Each structure stands twice: as structure tokens, then as C-alpha cells.
Amino acid sequence: MAGFAVEDVFVKAAAATMPLGQVLLTIGLVGMVTFATMAFARGEAVLPPAFLSRAMLIRCAFEVTGRLFYGLAITLTALSTTSAILQATPLVVVAGAAVVFGERVSWQRWLAVVIGFVGVLVILRPGADFSILSLLAVVGLLGFAGRDLATRAAPKGLSNRQLGALGFAMLAIAGAIVLAVTGGVVLPDAAGLAHLAGGTVFGMLGYHALTYAMRTGDVGSVTPFRYTRLIFAMILAVAIFGERPDAATWIGAALVVGSGVFALTRAR
């Protein structure tokens, strides 16, 4: 989670001097090639047939959506606010699992889901202080939740390296979409190259560590650690970008994280 939070910082910093699409496309291509090379070195197929299964295609569509809108959110809005909204993703997964897969969800967990959504509304502050750009983070979290739900139906046997290559390929596609709309590719300076390198390295570390943890550890034990991303993001947003989250953001984040942890512990 620390890796993802640091990646967000580098992406936001890089997007200040070059188009967001260029940033996402560059990080996506480098990450994809790196993971694909690692898979090839292990004798694994770079383009396994499982990538074309219905579940994986749906997963890819949701991941592109999540990557695209979350990238826009961290660039155009406060990192602290975007990170807080993203923490509602596990709650959406809980609700989606009940609707899509027919999983049993107790009334306590449904109550936690509702409280979590109330927390998101507190952060969004519909009314005089509402910003339409905040909805970018909401669409991003829906994309990531859909990705996680589709992963449950994905074929078994894909390695972490293959999944990493596919995940960063979706990031590259998201960047290409943004770049096709905005255009304006620029030659990065030394600072820009450093930001791109930092975003790539920490993004790959975070993706590999989370994938490994989710596939080898107990999901109920690992998932609550996702919320530590908010802690790292808040610290970095204040220290680097000088953000000052207001009371509504802190209260909403507490509601989202608290309800999410409760829902996951009840599941166990």
C-alpha cells in the first residue's frame, strides 16, 4: 500500500509538467514490458490464451476504467480526498458479490456498506462545496471494484508476473485514451524522467506485493491492510503537496475505513 501511495505522488508530480496520458502510457508500457520479460524468463507465456477468456476481458475493461478515472482524479483533485474515496472499493465489492454472485451478506455487513457510502457522501459534500471533479474518484473506485469482482471468475493458473503484465498493459491503454483526447506529448526534463521512473518502480513493487499477498495469504487477513494506503497518502499529501484535509474529509474517511474493516472482520 505504501508503494501505491508513493506511485500516486510521482504520477501527480509528473502530470504537472507533462500530459497525464503520456505519464500513464509511459509507466504502463515500462511496467508491462518488465513483467512480461520476467514471465518469459520463467518460461511462462507472455500472451496466454486465458487473457482472452470472457472473465478476463471484463476484468480488463473495468481495470482500464479504474486506471483512467483514478489517474484523472489524483491529477485534478486533492490526493487526500481521492485516496479517501478509493477506500470504499472493498465495500462496493461486498455489495457486488451479493448481487452478482449471490453471496450471503449479513445485515450487519449491509449496514457497514451503507455507512461507508455515507462516508463517501460526507467527503464529496454534495451542496455548496461540491466539486464535479470529485466524481472522477467515484467512477475510478467503481472500475477497481468491478475488476476485483471479475477476478473472482478469472481462470486459475495465471502467474503474478502475467497478471502484472496485463495490469500495466491496461494502464498503458488508459494513458493512450487520455493522450488521444488531449495530445501534446512533450520531451520530459530530468525531473520529469525521475518522476516517471519513481512512479514505475513503486507502482510495480506495490502491484507485485499486493498480488502476491492476495493469492498466497488469507484474503480476510490481507484485505484490511488496503486501508493503510490512506494513511500513507494523507501523510504524503500534507508533506509534499501542502494539502490540508478539512474536517469533512477526516470524518468521511473514518466512516469509510471503519465500516470497511468491520465488514471484512464480520466476513471472517
Side-chain angles (χ1 to χ4, degrees):
M1 292 300 102
F4 288 127
V6 176
E7 177 196 18
D8 290 345
V9 170
F10 278 117
V11 169
K12 189 176 182 68
T17 59
M18 65 188 79
L20 173 65
Q22 180 179 350
V23 175
L24 300 182
L25 178 61
T26 303
I27 294 176
L29 288 176
V30 175
M32 177 189 70
V33 171
T34 303
F35 274 116
T37 301
M38 293 168 60
F40 181 78
R42 291 292 189 93
E44 300 165 353
V46 176
L47 293 173
F51 279 0
L52 298 179
S53 65
R54 181 172 179 269
M56 290 303 294
L57 292 176
I58 294 175
R59 181 184 187 275
C60 289
F62 275 115
E63 179 143 28
V64 169
T65 301
R67 295 277 199 171
L68 173 60
F69 284 92
Y70 184 69
L72 290 170
I74 62 174
T75 303
L76 301 175
T77 63
L79 178 60
S80 54
T81 301
T82 300
S83 297
I85 293 174
L86 185 67
Q87 304 314 304
T89 301
L91 295 171
V92 178
V93 172
V94 170
V99 175
V100 177
F101 298 114
E103 292 187 6
R104 289 189 58 189
V105 177
S106 65
W107 69 267
Q108 295 97 330
R109 294 178 72 200
W110 276 117
L111 178 60
V113 170
V114 172
I115 294 175
F117 290 159
V118 170
V120 172
L121 290 176
V122 172
I123 297 171
L124 292 176
R125 292 184 291 276
D129 296 329
F130 174 72
S131 172
I132 192 68
L133 293 177
S134 299
L135 294 180
L136 294 172
V138 176
V139 178
L141 86 85
L142 293 176
F144 287 135
R147 176 199 63 186
D148 291 347
L149 286 170
T151 300
R152 298 192 180 196
K156 306 297 182 181
L158 292 174
S159 72
N160 294 343
R161 291 165 292 278
Q162 291 170 317
L163 289 175
L166 183 62
F168 276 88
M170 297 306 103
L171 177 60
I173 291 175
I177 292 173
V178 176
L179 196 59
V181 175
T182 62
V185 175
V186 300
L187 184 65
D189 56 16
L193 288 174
H195 293 151
L196 290 174
T200 302
V201 171
F202 282 98
M204 290 177 58
L205 288 174
Y207 199 97
H208 179 74
L210 179 61
T211 303
Y212 183 82
M214 292 295 288
R215 301 186 83 192
T216 59
D218 178 67
V219 175
S221 298
V222 172
T223 301
F225 283 95
R226 285 175 175 263
Y227 294 109
T228 61
R229 179 174 183 169
L230 179 59
I231 299 174
F232 294 118
M234 289 291 194
I235 293 173
L236 293 171
V238 172
I240 297 177
F241 298 112
E243 296 181 9
R244 294 294 182 268
D246 58 15
T249 300
W250 287 112
I251 293 172
L255 289 173
V256 171
V257 173
S259 58
V261 172
F262 175 80
L264 293 170
T265 54
R266 287 292 301 180
R268 295 185 63 194

